């Protein structure tokens, strides 16, 4: 009697192995005496069974490989999708934190010149909130308020060969931020140097008297020249003023002496003009007194009244003016009676 044993599973999943039939021993019999029965039908059935088992093993192995490949391909796709979702979620979560690096606020007097990948991006931005992309955009703030530049003292020679030291003040303002950023690196320093050279050339073409007395003319000429040069930078010159003119000590003394002489001359001229006017008025008064003889008597009495009003010991003896020629004639002839 041949009893077929059970089929056990192999170690690989999906692959099953069939155990060959083993003889079973009847109870009460000697195992050594028992022999398996070999029939032709059983041998044919065994060959058919072995061929079926081989086919089954091939089919099961192919199925296992397909399942493994499918499981690996599904794992890569799911892993990629999971990483993509995690990245998107991280980006969304970082948006509130990235506002500190992507947003800036511009005041009413400020403008931002925007560059994207190194190229100028439109007109100047502002005022208000300005959004930019980190690592892609960059910007430069520009102040639109008026700036005062103090030109350092410049020692120069005027047209009439007088050494002098002059300093000035220049008031500037940016009117085109894009043009200013693209054309000049440091517009404040550039404008200050331009003002220094222009001040030297303008003062050198004028005399010292013009520099002291016609300063408004020199200021307007300075402003016109500097504004023409800075117009291509997007910078406007609002005013230029010469603040101080320093002269050597010897020149100050000479000018003081000249001024003193001038004041003396003017004083003498004024005094002479006063004498001329007084003589003209006295002449008119004499003509008026000559027309009426009694007027001189009234003038004499008025003078006595003024003298007697004061407390003094002055004694006045009036002498008629008509007696003066007679007294002079008597003195010449030697007549004591006269």
């Amino acid at each position: 009697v041949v009893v077929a044993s059970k089929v056990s599973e192999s170690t690989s999943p999906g692959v099953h192995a069939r155990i060959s039939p083993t003889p079973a021993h009847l109870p009460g019999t000697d195992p050594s005496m028992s022999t398996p029965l070999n029939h032709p039908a059983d041998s044919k059935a065994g060959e058919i069974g072995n061929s079926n088992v081989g086919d089954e093993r091939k089919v099961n192995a192919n199925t296992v490989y397909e399942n493994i490949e499918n499981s690996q391909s599904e794992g890569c796709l799911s892993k990629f999708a999971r990483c993509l979702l995690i990245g998107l979620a991280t980006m969304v979560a970082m948006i509130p934190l990235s506002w500190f690096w992507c947003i800036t606020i511009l005041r009413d007097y400020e403008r931002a010149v925007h560059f994207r990948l190194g190229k100028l991006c439109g007109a100047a931005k502002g005022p208000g909130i300005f959004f930019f992309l980190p690592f892609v955009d960059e910007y430069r703030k520009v102040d639109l308020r008026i700036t005062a530049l103090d030109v350092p003292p410049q020692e120069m020679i005027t047209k009439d060969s007088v050494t002098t030291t002059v300093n000035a003040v220049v008031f500037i303002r940016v009117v085109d931020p894009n043009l200013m950023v693209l054309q000049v690196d440091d517009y404040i320093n550039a404008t200050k140097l331009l003002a220094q050279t222009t001040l030297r050339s303008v003062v050198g073409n004028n005399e010292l008297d013009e520099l002291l007395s016609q300063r408004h003319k020199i200021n307007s000429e300075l402003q016109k020249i500097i504004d023409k040069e800075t117009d291509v930078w997007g910078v406007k010159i609002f005013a230029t003023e010469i603040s101080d003119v320093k002269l050597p000590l010897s020149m100050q003394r000479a000018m003081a002496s000249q001024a003193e002489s001038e004041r003396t001359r003017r004083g003498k001229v004024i005094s002479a003009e006063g004498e001329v006017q007084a003589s003209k008025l006295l002449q008119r008064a004499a003509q008026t007194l000559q027309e009426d003889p009694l007027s001189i008597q009234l003038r004499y009495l008025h003078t006595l009244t003024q003298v007697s009003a004061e407390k003094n010991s002055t004694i006045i003896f009036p002498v008629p003016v008509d007696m003066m020629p007679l007294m002079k004639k008597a003195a010449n002839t030697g007549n004591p009676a006269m």
Side-chain angles (χ1 to χ4, degrees), residues 172-282:
I172 63 174
R173 181 177 182 270
V174 178
V175 294
D176 192 343
N178 289 353
L179 193 61
M180 188 275 295
V181 173
L182 294 177
Q183 294 296 329
V184 64
D185 181 22
D186 187 358
Y187 75 97
I188 293 179
N189 190 27
T191 306
K192 184 182 294 186
L193 295 176
L194 179 62
Q196 292 179 15
T197 56
T198 307
L199 181 62
R200 284 176 174 272
S201 62
V202 171
V203 172
N205 293 330
N206 293 273
E207 297 182 355
L208 181 61
D209 293 338
E210 295 178 353
L211 180 62
L212 297 176
S213 60
Q214 300 180 3
R215 191 172 294 183
H216 62 281
K217 176 184 176 182
I218 299 176
N219 292 335
S220 60
E221 186 176 356
L222 278 173
Q223 180 180 353
K224 182 178 179 181
I225 295 175
I226 299 174
D227 188 34
K228 183 179 179 181
E229 297 295 332
T230 58
D231 191 25
V232 295
W233 300 345
V235 179
K236 176 68 178 177
I237 306 298
F238 280 86
T240 303
E241 296 291 337
I242 295 177
S243 59
D244 190 14
V245 178
K246 296 181 180 180
L247 299 175
L249 186 59
S250 59
M251 181 57 64
Q252 293 180 9
R253 291 176 179 175
M255 292 182 66
S257 177
Q258 180 183 0
E260 185 178 359
S261 301
E262 182 67 21
R263 285 193 296 269
T264 303
R265 183 186 68 83
R266 290 179 181 178
K268 291 181 178 181
V269 170
I270 292 172
S271 178
E273 289 178 354
E275 292 291 339
V276 171
Q277 293 177 3
S279 62
K280 289 181 180 180
L281 292 176
L282 289 174

Side-chain angles (χ1 to χ4, degrees), residues 88-103 131 134:
L88 292 176
T90 305
M91 292 177 62
V92 172
M94 289 293 291
I95 287 176
L97 298 177
S98 63
W99 287 350
F100 297 100
W101 292 274
C102 298
I103 293 177
F131 176 80

Side-chain angles (χ1 to χ4, degrees), residues 259-322:
E260 185 178 359
S261 301
E262 182 67 21
R263 285 193 296 269
T264 303
R265 183 186 68 83
R266 290 179 181 178
K268 291 181 178 181
V269 170
I270 292 172
S271 178
E273 289 178 354
E275 292 291 339
V276 171
Q277 293 177 3
S279 62
K280 289 181 180 180
L281 292 176
L282 289 174
Q283 184 180 4
R284 290 175 58 185
Q287 291 176 358
T288 303
L289 293 174
Q290 189 178 4
E291 291 176 359
D292 191 358
L294 295 177
S295 59
I296 191 171
Q297 188 68 24
L298 294 175
R299 180 63 181 168
Y300 168 69
L301 294 175
H302 181 69
T303 303
L304 289 177
T305 303
Q306 290 180 350
V307 172
S308 63
E310 299 178 358
K311 294 180 180 181
N312 51 32
S313 58
T314 304
I315 298 174
I316 301 175
F317 294 97
V319 177
V321 179
D322 296 338

